[in-house]
Amino acid sequence: MTRLAEKIDISELAAPGVRELTPYQPGKPIEELEREYGLDDVIKLASNENPLGPSPDVLRSLSDNLGELSRYPDGNGFVLKQALCRRFDLDPGQITLGNGSNDVLELIGRAFVTPDNEVIFSQHAFAVYPLVTRALGARAVVTPARAWGHDLDAMREAITGRTRLIFIANPNNPTGTWLTRAALEDFLEQVPPHVLVVLDEAYYEYAADPATGIADYPDGLQWLAAFPNLIVTRTFSKAYGLAGLRVGYAVSHPGVADYLNRVRQPFNVNHLALAAASTALTDSNHLQRSVAMNATGLQQYYQAFEQLGLDYIPSAGNFVTVRVGPAAEINDQLLRRGIIVRPVANYELPEHLRISVGSEKENRRCIEALDAILQTL
Ligand SMILES: *Cc1c(COP(=O)(O)O)cnc(C)c1O
């Protein structure tokens, strides 16, 4: 063992793109912080999870399905695809199911991107886009942000003959910025046919809600008939409160879905996740409650930040990114008080923190802690 270790430089063995990767940094788990600091009332506002949890109908469906665990799941996800088709008026051939939508983002890369290709995404955009791109050995083309969000003109100008994929998050994580229907439609019309556009709508349900006050927010599914190079991805992790089960999906031209399904592992979505997601789609009241609670919580943060004199980026998601100045120091102080938020220095936002909208009480605790910490600085 030791003698072998002397001879092998493992980094020499890693694929060149993988060698350059830094692992995705997830939000700190509650239990980990409780162990580290000896706390017992930790709250987590770091991973954009639904503070209400899943629908009670989903919990019933999960217990009803426990007897099936010795069986492989339905590799075609028939029931969930039917539920999605009813809900969004789709054809099952358009749908690719994933173990979370991150799985789908990776399938898209594996099916369509080679090391000769370029992949375009924006500065401050979701961390999984560079991970997918670099792991494949493709060239990442990062366009500078405009007003914290995607600069579609810059993205269009970055297209070359080698471009195969453009990732767009609408709204974007971690900045919460969104693109209007008019801007995106204009962009899609100008993208050449050799380029696939991934429209990541992980926060669609929040952004589309009128109570959030987001004007002219588009539903990407409406464009699929006109643009066969468009892939829309969505998830059950956020507004549906199922982050722990891992289920998301892509909707695309059936020809694109066919290739995604060729690289997909046959049982990538587990039985409980399939059952839970199908049921979640039927409880529109729970979704409505979740989205309404988020709209109220965002206002709670906006008002507090205005009182504290902090600049924040208005958000179409279930989180808000705020400029606090010495973010690493403030994050550390928040952790000591049992509050987990997300530092975003790895997104080139070293002075900001991203805070997920929790329950009214969790939000209040976070705001009061932030206020107290800021006074000591
Ligand atoms: C949270 C998030 C996802 C969803 O990830 P899952 O794998 O479905 O849990 C996708 N895209 C963005 C921009 C996100 O913030």
Side-chain angles (χ1 to χ4, degrees):
M1 169 72 196
T2 27
R3 230 180 289 159
L4 250 180
E6 279 164 18
K7 284 187 200 147
I8 297 179
D9 179 357
I10 293 175
S11 70
E12 293 271 301
L13 306 180
V18 175
R19 209 177 293 150
E20 311 303 320
L21 293 182
T22 29
Y24 179 84
Q25 298 229 332
K28 201 185 222 351
I30 289 180
E31 294 74 18
E32 188 179 310
L33 186 65
E34 292 186 340
R35 273 197 307 275
E36 279 179 10
Y37 289 83
L39 299 166
D40 61 4
D41 58 348
V42 167
I43 59 170
K44 184 180 172 207
L45 301 170
S47 300
N48 304 342
E49 296 148 340
N50 184 339
L52 288 177
S55 145
D57 294 349
V58 165
L59 299 181
R60 270 190 295 279
S61 154
L62 286 172
S63 61
D64 290 348
N65 277 279
L66 289 176
E68 300 295 315
L69 291 187
S70 58
R71 308 263 176 221
Y72 278 97
D74 174 7
N76 287 319
F78 178 82
V79 172
L80 176 54
K81 284 186 185 174
Q82 290 299 319
L84 287 166
C85 288
R86 276 195 301 276
R87 177 74 183 71
F88 298 115
D89 193 21
L90 302 168
D91 184 89
Q94 294 178 277
I95 302 172
T96 308
L97 300 179
N99 192 319
S101 58
N102 283 331
D103 185 28
V104 177
L105 298 177
E106 202 169 282
L107 296 181
I108 295 167
R110 294 230 319 274
F112 292 103
V113 176
T114 72
D116 293 334
N117 288 141
E118 294 168 354
V119 175
I120 302 173
F121 49 87
S122 175
Q123 180 191 20
H124 311 316
F126 189 42
V128 170
Y129 310 152
L131 276 181
V132 166
T133 304
R134 299 200 167 105
L136 292 164
R139 193 164 98 83
V141 177
V142 187
T143 55
R146 183 163 67 193
W148 309 109
H150 296 66
D151 181 343
L152 290 180
D153 293 330
M155 296 183 96
R156 183 171 37 79
E157 283 161 20
I159 295 173
T160 71
R162 288 174 183 258
T163 308
R164 178 54 42 82
L165 208 61
I166 303 178
F167 284 114
I168 295 176
N170 196 35
N172 184 43
N173 169 20
T175 57
T177 49
W178 67 94
L179 295 158
T180 63
R181 185 187 321 270
L184 259 174
E185 186 162 284
D186 185 51
F187 177 78
L188 289 169
E189 275 165 0
Q190 296 182 59
V191 171
H194 71 278
V195 179
L196 292 168
V197 178
V198 177
L199 193 56
D200 180 344
E201 294 187 336
Y203 302 93
Y204 170 80
E205 295 80 5
Y206 296 110
D209 178 54
T212 318
I214 304 301
D216 199 27
Y217 176 76
D219 172 351
L221 301 180
Q222 74 181 72
W223 287 313
L224 287 168
F227 302 107
N229 58 339
L230 175 66
I231 306 173
V232 178
T233 62
R234 292 193 185 166
T235 182
F236 287 91
S237 297
K238 306 286 159 55
Y240 291 99
L242 298 179
L245 277 176
R246 314 304 303 129
V247 49
Y249 57 98
V251 189
S252 66
H253 185 280
V256 171
D258 177 30
Y259 283 107
L260 297 181
N261 278 296
R262 293 186 200 195
V263 292
R264 186 178 63 79
Q265 286 190 31
F267 304 111
N268 63 332
V269 186
N270 74 72
H271 181 72
L272 293 180
L274 289 170
S278 310
T279 305
L281 282 174
T282 64
D283 190 350
S284 53
N285 285 334
H286 184 74
L287 183 65
Q288 195 49 49
R289 266 197 303 280
S290 304
V291 165
M293 186 177 181
N294 183 62
T296 311
L298 273 178
Q299 291 307 320
Q300 192 182 351
Y301 278 110
Y302 293 170
Q303 279 173 21
F305 294 153
E306 277 157 29
Q307 275 171 12
L308 294 172
L310 298 174
D311 281 341
Y312 61 91
I313 309 172
S315 172
N318 64 341
F319 56 88
V320 55
T321 293
V322 56
R323 180 183 257 148
V324 293
E329 161 75 13
I330 291 174
N331 181 55
D332 193 56
Q333 296 286 331
L334 285 169
L335 288 174
R336 285 168 198 283
R337 291 164 193 255
I339 300 166
I340 312 175
V341 300
R342 184 70 74 99
V344 280
N346 58 324
Y347 285 96
E348 298 183 31
L349 297 165
E351 298 193 340
H352 287 76
L353 292 173
R354 190 195 69 193
I355 303 173
S356 304
V357 176
S359 66
E360 193 275 336
K361 202 172 141 202
E362 289 171 329
N363 301 336
R364 187 152 28 95
R365 191 170 143 198
C366 179
I367 288 163
E368 286 171 3
L370 198 55
D371 185 9
I373 294 164
L374 287 168
Q375 290 191 31
T376 67
L377 292 179

